[in-house]
Amino acid sequence: MTSSTRRIERALISVSDKTGLMDLARALSAAGAEIVSTGGTAKAIADAGIAVVDVSQLTGFPEMMDGRVKTLHPKVHGGLLAIRDNSEHANAMAAHGIKPIDLLVVSLYPFEATVAKGANFEDCIENIDIGGPAMIRAAAKNHDDVAVIVDAEDYPGLLDALKAGGTTLDFRRKLAAKAYARTAAYDAAISNWFAEQLGDPAPAWRAFGGKLAEALRYGENPHQNAAFYRSPERRFGVATARQVQGKQLSYNNINDTDAAYECVAEFDPARSAACVIVKHANPCGVAEGASLEQAYCKALACDSTSAFGGIVALNRTLDAEAARIITEIFTEVIVAPDATDEAIAIVGAKKNLRLLLAGGLPDPRAPGLLVKSVAGGLLVQSRDNAVADDMTIQPVTKRAPTDEEMRDLVFAFRVAKHVKSNTIVYAKDRATIGIGAGQMSRIDSARIAARKAQDAAKELGLAEPLTKGSVVASDAFFPFADGLLVAIEAGATAVIQPGGSMRDDEVIKAADDAGIAMVFTGTRHFRH
């Protein structure tokens, strides 16, 4: 087949999303194309005074079984699949009264949206499209002759093609590629929903799909290509956010903003304001306070050097007071559920600062899947939705923590969940004062976190290290007492950790010998 232009003489339209439908139908009609349609789409076109042939007139069969059977017919699929310059195909069409279909426009039943709104099992099943994907795949396979559109965003390109006299092969191939991607993503959403309904954590086949949100300038590094895709999951964050201002987000911005917003969601906004500052996917400062301004100042004090050029995530509506102080230093992104008009105006003075309003906070308890690529495969796991408030925290030392220590311990463990392993977090007054992240040994994380706290104390002009009288959290158990001894030497008075080491008794004894309190959570928070 050559790259010849194909005139559109007959189009079949069946869309659940009627966006742009009337403009498209009018243009097709004006170009002399016959329009065949189904159900509600046919009615909408007819009501607009545009000539339309109901698909039942084409097939000779009525829509039946509540609309489940309407386009699954040789006169539809033969019209889509017939190769125009193949004499055998042409003879078959003539023998059976099949007319060619030059354009297929389909938007599938809204399965993803039905699941997202919490519909029951039966309603979700009824919103699985059968005829639509079958037609899409048929038309896409025969793209040498047939154009297929699955997205209203492609209507303008089609209208331009109509004005030019028809569709080019290059245009049809691009539409076909998009069509197969759409049915793949659609089937992926269905199969993953089924696995969730069945409680199957490891189905024999896994597929994931998403729709392009935007092509990015580059990936982690300038020589890498990248793009951002939205998945069917409806979770507040970067994917739901409205970017109020600032230049385009980069790959690293999106990754870091997601890390910051997931962390700040651990802190109930009804209880207190919270701020998380992230640099290179790790929190460098986290704090709770009576206001966002106070929480930010406490978080910044943990590591003001690393906070420069960081991501700031907030758990409440950004107000003017917080906006003023956050914009005093260079910040890449501010993300919050919402913002006041005054705060938006203040941030607006920094033209390159991105402000994202996510519309809500993600639920840290919600289930979900995390996917990571490895050579030749995918690693898939359920989201770490264990929340410190739900854990049975058990004192294991002779001295139990005080109420104040316990508040800080729970705070520190919430933060440790979102720091790369191995993780050590020192905290005091519901604010981090030292964070050790991503080290090969836990003792190194403990040393780095203590050193960070010392640096912060010097910057604040304090004579004593901030770790004196602090608490410490470890994302996983202490395999030896050495890491704990570093924390004790730094001045920590209480420790929270999962427990479960073969040397737990040795670690507990070291805590008792130092007179500090230790609690076990029974839950590990590795994050790689």
Side-chain angles (χ1 to χ4, degrees):
M1 175 63 64
T2 65
S3 58
S4 58
T5 297
R6 290 296 190 215
R7 284 183 53 80
I8 297 174
E9 297 182 358
R10 173 179 289 125
L12 195 161
I13 306 177
S14 180
V15 293
S16 60
D17 179 0
K18 305 298 191 290
T19 302
L21 172 63
M22 292 305 111
D23 289 340
L24 176 63
R26 288 190 185 96
L28 287 167
S29 181
E34 181 184 52
I35 299 174
V36 180
S37 192
T38 63
T41 307
K43 183 178 185 304
I45 293 172
D47 288 347
I50 302 169
V52 60
V53 176
D54 192 278
V55 74
S56 62
Q57 296 174 257
L58 177 71
T59 64
F61 278 85
E63 292 188 19
M64 61 182 73
M65 302 177 187
D66 298 319
R68 287 189 172 199
V69 179
K70 51 192 174 188
T71 59
L72 297 170
H73 192 279
K75 287 196 174 181
V76 172
H77 286 269
L80 293 170
L81 283 166
I83 298 173
R84 306 297 192 261
D85 60 358
N86 182 304
S87 59
E88 184 180 341
H89 288 202
N91 291 337
M93 292 175 75
H96 299 286
I98 297 172
K99 294 182 179 180
I101 298 171
D102 308 304
L103 169 68
L104 175 72
V105 181
V106 172
S107 66
L108 300 172
Y109 290 174
F111 175 81
E112 297 102 327
T114 303
V115 171
K117 70 182 183 182
N120 61 37
F121 186 90
E122 291 73 20
D123 285 345
C124 291
I125 291 293
E126 285 306 310
N127 276 277
I128 296 176
D129 203 324
I130 301 301
M135 290 192 294
I136 289 169
R137 291 177 62 80
K141 178 174 181 175
N142 200 28
H143 63 266
D144 274 352
D145 294 311
V146 182
V148 54
I149 288 187
V150 296
D151 189 341
E153 292 178 2
D154 291 315
Y155 289 177
L158 178 63
L159 296 179
D160 289 342
L162 286 173
K163 293 175 184 176
T167 60
T168 64
L169 180 59
D170 182 65
F171 182 55
R172 294 193 297 274
R173 282 181 174 170
K174 289 177 180 177
L175 293 176
K178 188 172 187 177
Y180 280 123
R182 175 64 187 117
T183 57
Y186 192 74
D187 286 341
I190 295 168
S191 65
N192 287 321
W193 172 79
F194 254 115
E196 181 182 350
Q197 296 300 305
L198 295 171
D200 185 357
W205 294 89
R206 270 286 191 196
F208 297 94
K211 184 176 182 181
L212 180 68
E214 62 178 322
L216 302 175
R217 289 171 292 162
Y218 53 83
E220 283 187 286
N221 300 291
H223 62 277
Q224 294 173 267
N225 297 319
F228 178 41
Y229 291 83
R230 290 189 178 93
S231 73
E233 183 184 32
R234 294 295 184 264
R235 186 172 178 82
F236 289 118
V238 182
T240 67
R242 173 173 65 96
Q243 184 169 348
V244 176
Q245 70 149 64
K247 58 186 179 181
Q248 182 190 26
L249 291 164
S250 70
Y251 179 99
N252 293 328
N253 290 153
I254 292 171
N255 186 57
D256 290 352
T257 301
D258 179 71
Y261 208 53
E262 288 290 331
C263 183
V264 85
E266 298 283 342
F267 302 95
D268 184 355
R271 184 184 64 236
S272 65
C275 174
V276 174
I277 307 173
V278 159
K279 193 70 171 289
H280 298 301
N282 274 308
C284 60
V286 183
E288 290 183 278
S291 66
L292 290 177
E293 180 184 15
Q294 184 187 68
Y296 173 76
C297 289
K298 290 169 68 177
L300 181 64
C302 178
D303 187 352
S304 59
T305 300
S306 296
F308 186 83
I311 311 293
V312 174
L314 308 168
N315 71 340
R316 289 181 177 175
T317 296
L318 175 65
D319 54 34
E321 292 74 21
R324 286 192 188 94
I325 196 162
I326 292 171
T327 55
E328 287 181 359
I329 69 168
F330 171 57
T331 300
E332 289 276 7
V333 179
I334 301 173
V335 59
D338 205 347
T340 66
D341 290 342
E342 188 179 1
I344 291 173
I346 292 168
V347 177
K350 305 288 184 178
K351 65 178 182 178
N352 289 329
L353 171 56
R354 294 94 161 175
L355 175 59
L356 303 181
L357 305 182
L361 286 171
D363 181 359
R365 295 178 174 85
L369 294 176
L370 300 179
V371 184
K372 179 180 180 180
S373 64
V374 295
L378 298 173
L379 281 173
V380 182
Q381 65 173 338
S382 60
R383 179 180 286 116
D384 183 357
N385 62 352
V387 175
D389 289 333
D390 301 335
M391 296 174 190
T392 301
I393 298 176
Q394 182 67 42
V396 293
T397 48
K398 294 175 182 177
R399 182 174 82 77
T402 64
D403 290 344
E404 184 178 353
E405 286 174 327
M406 183 59 82
R407 281 191 293 272
D408 281 343
L409 288 168
V410 172
F411 167 88
F413 204 63
R414 284 196 188 97
V415 177
K417 173 181 173 180
H418 294 271
V419 181
K420 301 290 185 181
S421 300
N422 286 313
T423 301
I424 292 292
V425 176
Y426 291 95
K428 186 189 296 184
D429 188 26
R430 291 180 299 161
T432 57
I433 55 174
I435 299 173
Q439 297 306 302
M440 288 68 75
S441 73
R442 196 159 302 277
I443 189 170
D444 286 340
S445 290
R447 287 169 175 159
I448 289 170
R451 195 204 72 206
K452 285 280 190 180
Q454 290 172 356
D455 292 344
K458 289 178 182 177
E459 190 168 327
L460 294 169
L462 301 176
E464 290 188 330
L466 290 171
T467 48
K468 185 175 181 180
S470 68
V471 306
V472 66
S474 176
D475 63 334
F477 61 66
F478 287 97
F480 302 94
D482 51 4
L484 175 65
L485 292 174
V486 171
I488 292 170
E489 184 180 353
T493 62
V495 180
I496 186 169
Q497 59 137 318
S501 167
M502 292 177 60
R503 295 180 175 83
D504 274 348
D505 289 345
E506 173 188 326
V507 175
I508 294 169
K509 183 178 183 302
D512 280 332
D513 288 347
I516 71 168
M518 180 182 289
V519 297
F520 284 1
T521 65
T523 300
R524 189 180 75 184
H525 280 314
F526 269 164
R527 187 178 184 88
H528 293 102

